[in-house]
Structures are given as C-alpha cells and as structure tokens.
Amino acid sequence: MHTYIIRRILISIPLLFGLLTINFFLIHAAPGDPTDIFYNPDMDPEARENIRRIYGLDQPLGVQYLKYIQGVVLKFEFGYSIAKKRPVKDEILEALPNTIQLSALALLLELSLGIGIGILAAVKQQSTFDNATRVTSLTFYSMPSFYLGLVLLFLFAGGVSATHWFPASGMVDIVRHDSMSTLGRLGDRAIHIFLPSLTLGIGAAAGISRYMRGELLEVIRQDYMRTARAKGLTEKVVVFKHGLRNALMPIITIMGLSLPFLFSGAVIVEQVFGWPGMGRVAVDAAFQRDYSMFLAVNLIFGVMVVVGNLVADILYAIVDPRVRLS
Amino acid sequence: MHVKESAGTVSMTQVQNAGSPHLEVRNLKTYFYTEDGVVRAVDGLSYGLAKGETLGLVGESGCGKSVSALSVMRLIASPGKIVEGEILLDGLDLLQCSEPEMREVRGNRISMIFQEPMTSLNPVFTIGNQIMEAIRVHQDVSRKEARDRTIAMIRRVKISAAETRVDEYPHQMSGGMRQRVMIAMALACNPEVLIADEPTTALDVTIQAQIMELLAELQSDFQMSILLITHNLGLVAEVSDQVAVMYASKVVEHTSTAELFASPLHPYTHGLLTSVPTLGMPREQKLNVIPGQVPNPLHFPTGCRFHPRCPVAEQRCKQEEPLLREVKPGHWAACHFIENGKSPMKGADR
Ligand SMILES: Nc1ncnc2c1ncn2[C@@H]1O[C@H](COP(=O)(O)OP(=O)(O)O)[C@@H](O)[C@H]1O
Ligand code: SF4
Ligand SMILES: [Mg+2]
C-alpha cells in the first residue's frame, strides 16, 4: 500500500505541473495585468513601463514562464504578489489554515449529519422522520450557499434580535479576544466558526444523507443481511455491523470527490461571513490579475482534487477487502 | 390433535411412523401485500419433519418453498406477513414466540443455509469473523475459545488449511468453499434442525455431490433433522427419508421417499416423476411434460389449484378444494379421486 501511495503522488506531479502551465498562459492571455492597480489617468506611460520592468512583466512570456517554474521547482517559491506587496507563500500560509479549519469542520458536519440522518431515514423508511428529512434535504441541497449564509446571518446574527446568538463576521472577537481566558477564547472561536461551517456543510450533508439512505436500503436487501439475521443477531447488529460498512463504501468515494467542492464552496461562504481565508485571497487575485497569487490558488485547488481522490482510494481499500491497492 | 375444518388444513402428526415430528408446520399462510394485490406465497402449507430424518420439500420454482422456509425462521419482511398457522418445534409454537425468543432459536436450534453461496456471505468480513459471530451470539465463550471452535468447524466441513483460511475473505473462495463455510456457520451451535434451501443448485455437479455427502455425514454426527428444499427429484430420491411435494403454495402429497417414487398418487406428482430426465434421453427434449403454466399466487384457480393442468380433472375439481388426507397408511395426498390407495392416473403404479 505504501508503494501505491507513493506512486500515486508521483503520478500527480506531472498532472499538477500541466495545470500550472495551462493556467499560466491562460491568465496571461486575459486582458489587463497586475500593474492596473497602480494606474491612474495622469500617469506617465514611462513610469508605468518602469513598474512593469521592476516586476519582470516586460520580458517575453516564455522567459517569465521558465523563471516562474524555476522558482517553484527549485526553491518552492510561488512568486511575488504585486497587489499584496509580499511573497505569495506568506499570504497563502496565513490564509490557508483558516480555510482548512472551516472546511474541516464543515466536512465533519457533512459526514456526521449526513450519515446519521441517512441511517435513521433508511431504518425508519416511510416514517415522518424519513419524509421530513427528504423535504429538508432537498431544500438545503438546492439552496445556493451564499443565500443560505445570508438567511442564517439574518436569523441568528442580528436580523432577528430575539435570536441574535452568533457574531456576524470574523474568526474572533477582535476587541475582547486577547483578554479572554483559554476556555473563553475557545468558546469565542467556536461561536465564530459555527455559522460559516454550518452554511458550508449543510448542503453537502443533505446530499450525503440521501445517498446514505439509498445505499443502506439497497444493502438491507442483500442476501448476507438475511444470513446475519438467520444467525440470531439483533437487528441493531445486523444493520450497524453488516449493513453499515457495506453501505459506506460508495459514500467514501462521494466524499473524496466532494472535497475540492467543499473547498471552493468555502471561497464563497468566506465572503459572506468575512472569514479571513483563501476565499478573499482567491477573489482578490482574480480581480487584480495578481498572476502569481492566482496560479498558487489554482494549484491548491488542483492539490485538493488529487488529495481527495487519493484519500477516497485509501479509505476504500481499508473498508473493502476486495480492493487491493497495488 | 388439532384439526381446523378449512380446506387443506390437516395435522401431520400421523404422517410420521416414529412419534411426533420434530418440526411440524400446520396450515401455514404467508402473504405478501403488494401493489398488485395479495400474493399468497404460502397458503395452507402443512408438513412434518421427524427427528434425525431428512424431509425433501420439492416443487417447481415459485411454488413457495423459500418463503415457507423463511417463515419457519420468522424472517419474512414487509410487505410479507405470516397470517395464519402453527410452526411447532418440539411442541413450541414459533409463531407465538417473541422476537427475543425467536433470536434464541435462529442459528441455535434451527439454522438455515441458502441457495446463493456467492452472495450469502458478507464480503467485508473474514469467514472466521462470520462463523465466530454465530458462536458468540448464542454461547458465552471467550474470543479465543470461539476462534478455536471456528477453526475446528472449518475443519469439520473439510476445508484444508483451516488455520489460515479462517482469516480469508469470501471473495478468496470458490462457490463450493463458500457453501462449506455457510454450513460451518449454520452448524456452529449444533442446531436440532437444518433448513437447506437449494444448497447445491448454484454449484457444479461434482461439487453438488460433495456438499450433499458432507451434509449426510454431518447429519449423523450432529443428530440433526434436515429440511431439504429442492426442485431436483434425483437429489430427493438419494438423500430424503420423506418427501413433501408442493404445488401452488401448499403440499399436495407427503409420504416416504420409497413409497412416493414407487407409487405416486397425486396427478401432479405423477407428472413430475414422468418429467424426470432418464439416461439416454435426447438433450433437446423438454423436461417439463406437464402442459400449462405454474399458477400465479395472485390469482389461484378455484377448487383444486391443479385443475387447469390436470389430465383427469372433472367438474368437481373446479369448485371444491381437495383436503390433504391420508389416502393409505403413511401416505397423504390432496386429490378428490384417489380411492383405495389408487391414483386416478392410468399406469401410475410402477
Ligand atoms: N418479497 C416478496 N414480495 C412479493 N412476492 C414475493 C416476495 N417473495 C416471494 N414472493 C412470491 O412468492 C412466491 C413464492 O416464492 P418462493 O418461495 O421464493 O418460491 P420457490 O419455491 O421458488 O422458493 C413467488 O410467486 C414469489 O414471486
Ligand atoms: S382434485 Fe381433480 S384436478 Fe385436482 S389433482 Fe385431483 S383430479 Fe386433478
Ligand atoms: Mg427458492
């Protein structure tokens, strides 16, 4: 299995390299360039050329490309952000952990809510619970995350004063956070991350719960479930031992594939909740034609796809003995 | 003796020569309430299985054999329901048992093996895990003890290298091996009754013979009664002590194997026996020589359910359902026209 994982990682390197190359030429082909932000109508064209020269934008595209790739490969440097006036790596290292935090909690919510509700709905098929969750799942699944975020903000972060339970934006209470006790700080972080992670996770949870229900109902009809009952096992053991593990297998694949979507969903949700993560970095990079930043953001998305697939494959091999990674 | 007066209802107590039967089914009715209507999958079924004997339950596909077996295990799921009858295990009516009481019976007093060895084992657990589970649910033994017994059981069903195979997964085994594992699992708690629902139908002919041999051997070792469900009359002739012939959700004839093959009395049984392939018969020849179709359990024919296909049916057969009655000592059949132990079919006595 270790050789399999190493091989998979090696295979993904040219893939990510290709992604970087295509994006490099695409973003340079787009109209505008990073110096636009310095531009004002009174500016001397000479001065503007100067700025371009400082950042190396006057050189032929091929040369710029080779220099960029050289930095990435040899020094693990991802260039300089013209808009933020600091190395891309610094900016990313600051924003990425915040997004990972948000996405991880959303993933946890997605899995626990989705799998839990799916199991209950399948076990109590056609019950009120099943019907109620069917309708709510569909509602949340089809609701755009920015809209859901706004609704939650309105309901629980100020719009309705009786239920003003959560802060409307940020990761911590900027004014009081530093003067809080350790426990207080933890609580402060928790109430700040709750609404954004809920917004991000609940749509995905709705999807997972429907898949989970369907899979479990399918598994419950299998012959080996009848064998398990014929042994004299309780229905609980039959469903949770014999059924669940089989029903989880497709869910693992779906989860792996959904990882990059969760991440790109975070970009939008972060905007709504003023969360200082990759969302803002990504949007700024695109609007400001901040080439290096844009490329780095895209590379991270590429890595998410690769990692999501790899994690799914590995989990699958752990759960299903018929799959041998080699 | 308890006899209800409705058609087709009878106690089978007297069928057996040796005392009261170990497992007795009386007037069992299991229906499926589907969108198309009520499927009467088992409808007035009665049979008795004597201690230590093998009863062959035979009938065409769809006549209700599997549903009747699952009814005995009380494993009928919605939309199915056992609506009437008695299932007596040594006098204990399983239909009156609570679910926890029933769990004590399943896998412990009555075990079952199924037709599809390829899909009857859980693919994500080792066979050892699955056999051990059957032991530990009924017996208070340590993991180590259960594992030792599991390995011993795997050896009993003649799988070589039991110590290593115990940790293998079902997909690493052939169909015949998996059926042996199923047998090991079923016999792990030394049950009194084994229900084998077409245990060899999905297997190669040579493997079939090995499995049947194994079952016969284990039957005498374990002192168990076997209900062998099959549509293979040849198999029944070889291993059964008694035979119950099912047609359209109920038993139409029930007697000893020797008697049944020597003098079948019911016209349906007669038809079945003449449809058994004989050596030297051309391959292309159709086996089923009984004209007509197996009746649909949604709409059974009135009167005798066999009347549309019966070569000797008369007007009475369309109106009146024949009772399963003792037509000669130790020989039960459900046909209006069996008189003095003689079949209405010409040349039936062979
Ligand atoms: N879950 C079910 N729902 C509806 N009908 C069923 C169900 N299971 C079995 N039946 C019907 O019951 C009848 C008997 O089936 P079965 O006992 O499997 O026959 P067999 O004698 O071949 O084992 C068939 O007509 C079948 O279609
Ligand atoms: S009762 Fe009539 S239809 Fe039924 S088997 Fe006997 S002769 Fe045939
Ligand atoms: Mg069957």
Side-chain angles (χ1 to χ4, degrees):
Chain A
M1 187 135 122
H2 294 292
T3 44
Y4 174 82
I5 296 170
I6 291 167
R7 214 180 63 208
R8 276 289 296 270
I9 292 171
L10 289 180
I11 288 174
S12 63
I13 288 175
L15 199 80
L16 294 172
F17 195 79
L19 178 80
L20 212 52
T21 304
I22 292 171
N23 277 328
F24 184 91
F25 290 103
L26 273 180
I27 186 75
H28 278 87
D33 79 32
T35 58
D36 288 356
I37 54 168
F38 303 117
Y39 182 73
N40 75 62
D42 304 330
M43 207 176 193
D44 185 350
E46 191 75 356
R48 190 162 182 195
E49 254 332 288
N50 247 336
I51 298 173
R52 287 178 58 87
R53 198 156 34 239
I54 291 169
Y55 292 115
L57 296 170
D58 59 330
Q59 292 173 11
L61 205 52
V63 175
Q64 288 187 42
Y65 172 72
L66 287 178
K67 272 193 171 160
Y68 177 74
I69 292 297
Q70 199 181 17
V72 170
V73 174
L74 296 182
K75 292 186 276 185
F76 205 63
E77 286 294 342
F78 295 85
Y80 188 81
S81 164
I82 296 169
K84 309 278 184 202
K85 302 202 172 47
R86 60 194 295 209
V88 165
K89 203 154 87 177
D90 294 358
E91 182 80 8
I92 299 255
L93 284 180
E94 209 172 279
L96 189 59
N98 297 344
T99 297
I100 289 179
Q101 216 179 85
L102 181 62
S103 306
L105 193 63
L107 184 67
L108 202 73
L109 274 174
E110 167 187 344
L111 292 182
S112 52
L113 274 180
I115 291 175
I117 291 171
I119 292 171
L120 277 178
V123 173
K124 301 193 185 309
Q125 196 190 353
Q126 305 300 345
S127 67
T128 320
F129 179 82
D130 185 22
N131 292 326
T133 50
R134 171 182 297 126
V135 176
T136 37
S137 298
L138 198 68
T139 313
F140 283 121
Y141 192 70
S142 51
M143 200 181 275
S145 61
F146 74 88
Y147 177 70
L148 177 63
L150 291 175
V151 170
L152 289 178
L153 272 178
F154 176 75
L155 289 178
F156 303 112
V160 181
S161 53
T163 53
H164 186 171
W165 297 328
F166 297 98
S169 85
M171 284 182 75
V172 292
D173 186 327
I174 316 165
V175 182
R176 285 176 298 167
H177 188 76
D178 289 336
S179 59
M180 288 174 178
S181 65
T182 317
L183 207 67
R185 286 183 196 186
L186 212 66
D188 189 35
R189 285 186 177 273
I191 57 166
H192 277 85
I193 204 171
F194 184 75
L195 285 186
S197 58
L198 189 68
T199 307
L200 187 54
I202 205 163
I208 293 276
S209 76
R210 299 314 293 166
Y211 280 117
M212 188 68 216
R213 175 186 181 275
E215 285 303 327
L216 198 54
L217 285 178
E218 178 67 32
V219 163
I220 280 172
R221 294 209 315 260
Q222 298 297 310
D223 289 343
Y224 53 76
M225 297 293 274
R226 188 182 56 192
T227 308
R229 288 193 187 95
K231 283 184 210 176
L233 300 175
T234 60
E235 195 59 22
K236 225 187 233 148
V237 176
V238 173
V239 171
F240 284 93
K241 178 180 171 185
H242 289 268
L244 197 55
R245 188 140 164 205
N246 283 285
L248 275 177
M249 288 191 282
I251 305 296
I252 290 170
T253 309
I254 294 166
M255 189 206 72
L257 297 178
S258 79
L259 219 55
F261 288 99
L262 201 66
F263 213 69
S264 57
V267 169
I268 294 164
V269 172
E270 285 177 4
Q271 298 290 308
V272 177
F273 289 92
W275 190 264
M278 290 300 293
R280 206 162 52 196
V281 174
V283 173
D284 287 353
F287 282 123
Q288 298 168 339
R289 300 285 185 278
D290 197 351
Y291 292 157
S292 302
M293 190 63 93
F294 179 87
L295 289 173
V297 168
N298 272 293
L299 187 65
I300 289 172
F301 278 107
V303 169
M304 276 339 261
V305 174
V306 170
V307 168
N309 276 305
L310 187 60
V311 167
D313 281 358
I314 292 169
L315 283 180
Y316 212 112
I318 291 171
V319 178
D320 188 346
R322 286 164 298 188
V323 178
R324 281 280 163 263
L325 302 181
S326 55
Chain B
M1 192 173 77
H2 175 94
V3 183
K4 285 203 188 130
E5 282 309 304
S6 66
T9 306
V10 73
S11 165
M12 296 307 302
T13 318
Q14 295 174 350
V15 172
Q16 312 303 331
N17 308 325
S20 75
H22 195 175
L23 176 70
E24 184 178 356
V25 171
R26 291 181 186 167
N27 191 34
L28 180 68
K29 296 186 180 179
T30 304
Y31 295 170
F32 289 90
Y33 296 88
T34 67
E35 278 170 21
D36 302 330
V38 180
V39 178
R40 292 189 281 163
V42 171
D43 194 24
L45 180 79
S46 302
Y47 63 76
L49 167 61
K51 223 174 204 107
E53 288 200 342
T54 298
L55 170 69
L57 187 62
V58 297
E60 287 164 288
S61 175
C63 72
K65 304 184 295 293
S66 295
V67 171
S68 78
L70 290 170
S71 301
V72 172
M73 299 293 280
R74 291 256 314 266
L75 287 176
I76 298 294
S78 169
K81 197 170 181 302
I82 300 173
V83 293
E84 203 181 313
E86 284 166 274
I87 298 169
L88 303 172
L89 176 66
D90 248 344
L92 169 74
D93 189 351
L94 298 183
L95 295 185
Q96 304 302 322
C97 285
S98 66
E99 181 54 28
E101 285 168 342
M102 207 46 223
R103 282 200 297 269
E104 278 305 302
V105 173
R106 290 186 200 120
N108 196 21
R109 298 188 63 189
I110 307 180
S111 282
M112 187 163 175
I113 57 178
F114 302 95
Q115 181 173 348
E116 309 82 7
M118 302 310 278
T119 53
S120 291
L121 290 165
N122 194 325
V124 302
F125 295 107
T126 62
I127 60 154
N129 181 321
Q130 296 182 61
I131 298 172
M132 250 160 84
E133 186 179 37
I135 296 173
R136 296 196 75 194
V137 68
H138 296 297
Q139 293 171 12
D140 190 19
V141 296
S142 68
R143 280 195 80 80
K144 170 88 180 59
E145 168 82 26
R147 189 180 159 89
D148 290 345
R149 281 203 214 171
T150 297
I151 293 172
M153 223 35 242
I154 295 174
R155 238 179 249 130
R156 284 295 281 275
V157 295
K158 303 206 165 82
I159 294 176
S160 57
E163 291 83 358
T164 52
R165 299 227 102 171
V166 66
D167 294 318
E168 285 188 3
Y169 289 93
H171 74 273
Q172 293 168 285
M173 303 188 149
S174 66
M177 280 297 168
R178 290 191 211 184
Q179 198 60 297
R180 284 170 196 268
V181 170
M182 284 297 293
I183 293 170
M185 191 189 298
L187 302 190
C189 291
N190 204 346
E192 303 155 35
V193 176
L194 176 70
I195 301 177
D197 187 358
E198 314 231 15
T200 59
T201 306
L203 303 174
D204 285 351
V205 185
T206 47
I207 311 288
Q208 274 184 27
Q210 291 169 9
I211 296 283
M212 288 319 297
E213 213 170 281
L214 176 69
L215 275 179
E217 199 181 308
L218 292 169
Q219 177 173 31
S220 59
D221 291 358
F222 284 81
Q223 300 286 312
M224 57 183 178
S225 317
I226 297 183
L227 178 69
L228 176 67
I229 295 176
T230 178
H231 60 251
N232 184 341
L233 278 168
L235 201 63
V236 164
E238 268 174 54
V239 303
S240 299
D241 302 296
Q242 298 268 326
V243 185
V245 179
M246 265 184 93
Y247 184 79
S249 306
K250 59 202 292 182
V251 169
V252 293
E253 188 159 9
H254 188 329
T255 183
S256 74
T257 308
E259 166 78 6
L260 188 93
F261 282 87
S263 55
L265 295 184
H266 197 281
Y268 174 65
T269 314
H270 189 259
L272 268 189
L273 289 179
T274 50
S275 74
V276 170
T278 50
L279 223 59
M281 186 170 107
R283 268 196 109 151
E284 294 76 25
Q285 188 170 331
K286 279 284 262 273
L287 286 186
N288 191 356
V289 291
I290 307 175
Q293 292 206 329
V294 181
N296 179 347
L298 273 171
H299 320 280
F300 279 135
T302 56
C304 176
R305 289 171 196 172
F306 188 53
H307 85 250
R309 298 169 79 187
C310 181
V312 291
E314 288 181 26
Q315 193 55 37
R316 181 183 170 197
C317 305
K318 292 182 192 164
Q319 286 136 17
E320 203 181 317
E321 188 162 12
L323 281 166
L324 185 62
R325 61 198 166 93
E326 191 165 23
V327 288
K328 98 193 204 193
H331 195 148
W332 299 68
C335 169
H336 294 308
F337 301 112
I338 298 170
E339 275 152 30
N340 308 318
K342 288 267 188 296
S343 169
M345 301 285 287
K346 280 200 198 88
D349 293 296
R350 299 191 284 191

